[in-house]
Amino acid sequence: QVQLVESGGGLVPPGGSLRLSCKASGLTFNTYHIGWFRQSPGNEREFIAGIRGSSGGYSKHYADSVKGRFTVSRDNAEKTAYLQMNGLKAEDTAVYYCAADRQLILSSLRTPSQWDHWGQGTQVTVSS
């Protein structure tokens, strides 16, 4: 079965950086779209970034709130996706999740309910 395992979260001061990893197993990784989402207490899960699979030309997509600060990438040989986060702010504090789906269409990329597979999440806390 498909499994996704996030890592790399932690406590970082404002302005700092973190790189999250999403290690996948049980799937033909290069054919899957990968999304990054986050959820903070009392808020809905929100789309942060996505990188499409081979059918989508590995195109990258970002939420306006993180554009220019976060970078999504993937290493198909390692079956791992990454989220490089720079210039972190207090409002970036949340649990971060990666998701995978093979047949998601572009217009559904930002909708959590459209993704089939999820990791367990990793906590990111931005605080001095």
Side-chain angles (χ1 to χ4, degrees):
Q1 70 277 21
V2 176
Q3 287 192 320
L4 303 172
V5 179
E6 301 98 333
S7 61
L11 173 64
V12 62
S17 297
L18 281 175
R19 188 177 81 156
L20 305 183
S21 299
C22 174
K23 177 70 173 178
S25 61
L27 73 169
T28 305
F29 186 73
N30 67 297
T31 68
Y32 275 71
H33 313 303
I34 302 296
W36 285 96
F37 294 77
R38 68 186 180 190
Q39 189 168 19
S40 54
N43 293 314
E44 294 184 351
R45 192 166 297 189
E46 64 169 336
F47 171 83
I48 295 301
I51 182 166
R52 299 178 74 198
S54 52
S55 66
Y58 305 116
S59 60
K60 300 178 181 181
H61 307 268
Y62 298 94
D64 288 344
S65 58
V66 305
K67 201 171 294 183
R69 298 189 297 127
F70 291 10
T71 302
V72 63
S73 63
R74 63 192 297 157
D75 183 332
N76 289 331
E78 295 295 324
K79 295 189 175 182
T80 302
Y82 302 98
L83 184 68
Q84 177 67 43
M85 306 187 295
N86 298 328
L88 283 162
K89 307 174 182 179
E91 51 263 43
D92 293 318
T93 295
V95 177
Y96 283 69
Y97 300 89
C98 66
D101 195 285
R102 190 167 182 271
Q103 299 184 341
L104 204 64
I105 59 175
L106 182 57
S107 60
S108 297
L109 201 72
R110 299 166 189 263
T111 306
S113 63
Q114 297 297 308
W115 291 78
D116 276 347
H117 308 286
W118 291 87
Q120 83 289 349
T122 186
Q123 176 71 45
V124 172
T125 302
V126 185
S127 175
S128 55

